[in-house]
Amino acid sequence: MKKRTLTGMLALGAAASLALAGCSGGADSGDAADGGENGTITLGFLPSWTDGLSTAYLLEDQLGKMGYTVEMEELSDAGVIYAGLAGGDFDMYPSAWSEVTHADYMAEFGDDIEDLGAYYDGAVLTLAVPEYVDIDSIEDLAGQADRFGGEIIGIEPGAGLTKQTQEVAMPEYGLDGDYELVTSSTATMLATLQDKIDNEEDVVVTLWRPFWANDAFPVKDLEDPKGAMGEPESLHFLGKSGFAEEYPEVSDYIAQITLDDAAYGALESLVTGEEYEGDPAAAVDAWLEEHADAYPGLIA
């Protein structure tokens, strides 16, 4: 485990909580007098969810080079993001699991949200255990609750992953009577996972792909023969209602962005890794040097 990376994640989680309390929102979007030559665009994201963190800093770099000032609105709950985007409190959510994981939020707020395009295909939700645990399938967790203290370690209560695990997977595999899904934050889940691995103890956690933790920790996905964790989905850029009309140049640019596993993995690794800890702009610069042809229109 990259301990310095986890330390950074814990700091990001704390920053997110503070940011939520001080959420400013309502940037003067599109007002060139208050931003770059083309105006200001505000991105709302959860810094503890590293897909959004990585794409937010990629967009900050790219839209800055296009003449926009990019402001970052750090939040701490998916529900706040979807409600805030629909309400126009900020302009974009740069990594939405809107097809499956957060389909309920889209059903509630989607009429006031614009889909600007998908940048990654094949994202999945998982339950995972350390590699040394002699269980390979979710269905094998049944009858083994004592080994895991009767707990599945989850992330934020408002996450779609939490809802899918609690309302679909656990009942589907008969785990809801013997296990409790413990929710707190992504950083706390990772800290628990690290502690359990350090002591070679049994633990089962909620995870997802793409996510740097799958490479940083010696973990394995549990097989899901009933498909209870949901179908693979794409990760989307979402904008507030009217975004494409207000920012046609940005909308056209964003529609071109697609990242394969290698390009996405390298971006997330650099933004969240220890080499550029505290300097995501430098991480994006390093990524651009190696992936200048990652997608059409990329401004190196």
Side-chain angles (χ1 to χ4, degrees), residues 157-281:
L161 173 58
T162 298
K163 181 180 178 69
Q164 187 73 21
T165 303
Q166 195 159 38
E167 298 185 8
V168 181
M170 292 177 69
E172 185 71 21
Y173 286 101
L175 306 178
D176 47 342
D178 295 326
Y179 288 85
E180 175 189 2
L181 178 60
V182 178
T183 60
S184 54
S185 68
T186 299
T188 300
M189 179 274 289
L190 292 175
T192 301
L193 179 59
Q194 179 182 344
D195 180 69
K196 294 292 187 180
I197 289 174
D198 288 345
N199 293 287
E200 203 163 322
E201 296 176 351
D202 291 335
V203 64
V204 56
V205 299
T206 62
L207 279 178
W208 60 93
R209 294 179 183 275
F211 188 31
W212 62 267
N214 293 291
D215 295 325
F217 291 88
V219 294
K220 60 182 178 182
D221 295 345
L222 292 177
E223 296 171 7
D224 181 12
K226 297 182 179 181
M229 294 302 289
E231 296 295 321
E233 60 186 308
S234 298
L235 303 184
H236 292 250
F237 295 112
L238 299 182
K240 66 180 183 182
S241 180
F243 183 94
E245 181 177 359
E246 187 173 357
Y247 303 104
E249 178 190 31
V250 175
S251 181
D252 289 345
Y253 170 79
I254 286 172
Q256 303 178 87
I257 301 176
T258 57
L259 299 177
D260 60 21
D261 282 330
Y264 174 82
L267 176 65
E268 186 180 86
S269 178
L270 287 165
V271 171
T272 63
E274 59 187 31
E275 183 176 3
Y276 295 102
E277 185 175 344
D279 193 357

Side-chain angles (χ1 to χ4, degrees), residues 22-291:
C23 177
S24 58
D28 295 327
S29 304
D31 186 350
D34 292 336
E37 61 185 271
N38 290 324
T40 299
I41 293 176
T42 303
L43 308 180
F45 62 100
L46 279 75
S48 60
W49 292 5
T50 50
D51 51 292
L53 177 75
S54 302
T55 49
Y57 281 105
L58 174 61
L59 289 183
E60 181 188 49
D61 175 273
Q62 294 292 288
L63 301 189
K65 291 173 178 173
M66 295 169 65
Y68 295 86
T69 293
V70 178
E71 294 186 346
M72 301 296 208
E73 194 78 39
E74 296 183 351
L75 306 171
S76 64
D77 185 86
V80 174
I81 283 188
Y82 283 90
L85 185 61
D89 293 337
F90 49 88
D91 300 305
M92 277 191 62
Y93 177 22
S95 186
W97 296 59
S98 53
E99 296 176 0
V100 179
T101 305
H102 292 154
D104 287 351
Y105 290 126
M106 288 301 288
E108 183 174 0
F109 300 110
D111 288 346
D112 295 312
I113 290 174
E114 288 187 4
D115 189 343
L116 303 175
Y119 75 88
Y120 181 91
D121 294 322
V124 293
L125 305 179
T126 65
L127 293 182
V129 297
E131 291 175 346
Y132 54 76
V133 175
D134 60 347
I135 285 178
D136 297 313
S137 173
I138 298 175
E139 60 187 353
D140 294 334
L141 291 173
Q144 303 273 354
D146 288 346
R147 292 179 54 181
F148 299 92
E151 295 180 340
I152 295 172
I153 308 301
I155 58 172
E156 289 79 1
L161 173 58
T162 298
K163 181 180 178 69
Q164 187 73 21
T165 303
Q166 195 159 38
E167 298 185 8
V168 181
M170 292 177 69
E172 185 71 21
Y173 286 101
L175 306 178
D176 47 342
D178 295 326
Y179 288 85
E180 175 189 2
L181 178 60
V182 178
T183 60
S184 54
S185 68
T186 299
T188 300
M189 179 274 289
L190 292 175
T192 301
L193 179 59
Q194 179 182 344
D195 180 69
K196 294 292 187 180
I197 289 174
D198 288 345
N199 293 287
E200 203 163 322
E201 296 176 351
D202 291 335
V203 64
V204 56
V205 299
T206 62
L207 279 178
W208 60 93
R209 294 179 183 275
F211 188 31
W212 62 267
N214 293 291
D215 295 325
F217 291 88
V219 294
K220 60 182 178 182
D221 295 345
L222 292 177
E223 296 171 7
D224 181 12
K226 297 182 179 181
M229 294 302 289
E231 296 295 321
E233 60 186 308
S234 298
L235 303 184
H236 292 250
F237 295 112
L238 299 182
K240 66 180 183 182
S241 180
F243 183 94
E245 181 177 359
E246 187 173 357
Y247 303 104
E249 178 190 31
V250 175
S251 181
D252 289 345
Y253 170 79
I254 286 172
Q256 303 178 87
I257 301 176
T258 57
L259 299 177
D260 60 21
D261 282 330
Y264 174 82
L267 176 65
E268 186 180 86
S269 178
L270 287 165
V271 171
T272 63
E274 59 187 31
E275 183 176 3
Y276 295 102
E277 185 175 344
D279 193 357
V284 171
D285 287 341
W287 182 80
L288 288 170
E289 290 183 6
E290 298 295 328
H291 297 276

